[in-house]
Amino acid sequence: MKKYISIILAFLLICLLLPFAIEWVYDLGDKYPIIHTSYSQGEILGYCATVVGLLISILALLISLKSDDVHLNIRHAITNTDKDLGILIEIKNDSLFDCNISRVELCNKKKRYFAHIVHSPPFSIPAKGIKSFAIDIADIRKVLNCLPDSNNSKSIYYCIRLSLNQTIYLKSNELYEYIKRFDEAENRHKGVN
């Protein structure tokens, strides 16, 4: 939304300065007859106002369409699971409406391989809400081992399947960072013993 504020301010500035600019051009044309037109100042101002109004309505339409998009984010943390240490995966719904999720998977998008990471029935995340899952690190490694190029974090994505056949792909870089932290902590722990 912040990116649209500067566009709206630019349109407001144009609307304020446009009548003065047209007046200045006509005054310049009286002194120096460079501009020859059969249109009056009022007609030119009306035309410019129509064009600016059209641009503003198109911008308003784009903003309203963008507000209907689904915006999901994934965050991670190290946590305790029933078995051992694991990774807490939080799916945050930044949308303005509830979001129904049917599946959460890890995938290699280019090679079209998908593997479930969250085995649960479809669930709903309320607007501006969060859904959390604690998954054992061994289970995450099993899922990653099923995917080709799983050692390359740039090729692996979260695939979140929504109702109405909509799919959102999110980067899994943070997941790999937490797995790396987990491995480093485990190696330090083994080095102490």
Side-chain angles (χ1 to χ4, degrees):
M1 191 64 177
K2 291 179 182 178
K3 62 183 175 183
Y4 295 117
I5 292 175
S6 60
I7 295 171
I8 291 170
L9 289 175
F11 277 131
L12 288 174
L13 187 64
I14 289 170
C15 290
L16 289 174
L17 296 179
L18 189 63
F20 298 110
I22 291 172
E23 180 68 31
W24 177 77
V25 168
Y26 269 89
D27 285 344
L28 184 67
D30 287 341
K31 293 178 186 174
Y32 308 101
I34 300 170
I35 302 169
H36 298 286
T37 180
S38 58
Y39 300 109
S40 68
Q41 289 174 324
E43 290 170 332
I44 296 293
L45 185 59
Y47 172 77
C48 291
T50 303
V51 170
V52 169
L54 176 67
L55 292 175
I56 289 174
S57 63
I58 290 171
L59 179 67
L61 179 65
L62 290 175
I63 290 172
S64 67
L65 290 174
K66 276 292 190 188
S67 68
D68 287 344
D69 284 352
V70 177
H71 299 285
L72 298 176
N73 289 316
I74 290 189
R75 295 184 303 186
H76 302 85
I78 294 177
T79 187
N80 287 322
T81 63
D82 295 338
K83 303 176 195 173
D84 201 359
L85 282 178
I87 294 181
L88 180 72
I89 299 173
E90 289 184 346
I91 302 173
K92 185 178 181 200
N93 180 9
D94 289 327
S95 307
L96 300 174
F97 48 86
D98 294 354
C99 186
N100 296 318
I101 296 176
S102 59
R103 283 191 312 218
V104 179
E105 302 166 312
L106 283 173
C107 72
N108 184 318
K109 232 168 56 166
K110 289 182 181 173
K111 296 190 178 176
R112 307 298 295 163
Y113 280 88
F114 298 87
H116 291 286
I117 192 166
V118 176
H119 294 282
S120 72
F123 56 91
S124 180
I125 303 176
K128 305 295 182 187
I130 294 174
K131 179 77 173 177
S132 302
F133 304 94
I135 301 173
D136 188 62
I137 195 76
D139 293 337
I140 291 174
R141 286 194 172 120
K142 284 179 195 172
V143 170
L144 286 172
N145 287 336
C146 296
L147 298 170
D149 299 332
S150 62
N151 55 348
N152 183 1
S153 65
K154 292 181 181 175
S155 63
I156 305 299
Y157 288 82
Y158 280 102
C159 173
I160 301 176
R161 299 191 188 268
L162 307 175
S163 58
L164 303 174
N165 286 337
Q166 191 176 9
T167 303
I168 295 177
Y169 293 98
L170 300 171
K171 292 184 178 181
S172 64
N173 296 346
E174 191 181 68
L175 174 66
Y176 278 85
E177 284 296 318
Y178 275 90
I179 291 172
K180 183 179 173 185
R181 286 185 200 173
F182 181 82
D183 291 342
E184 289 170 355
E186 197 172 66
N187 289 338
R188 279 195 304 268
H189 181 67
K190 285 180 183 176
V192 171
N193 290 337

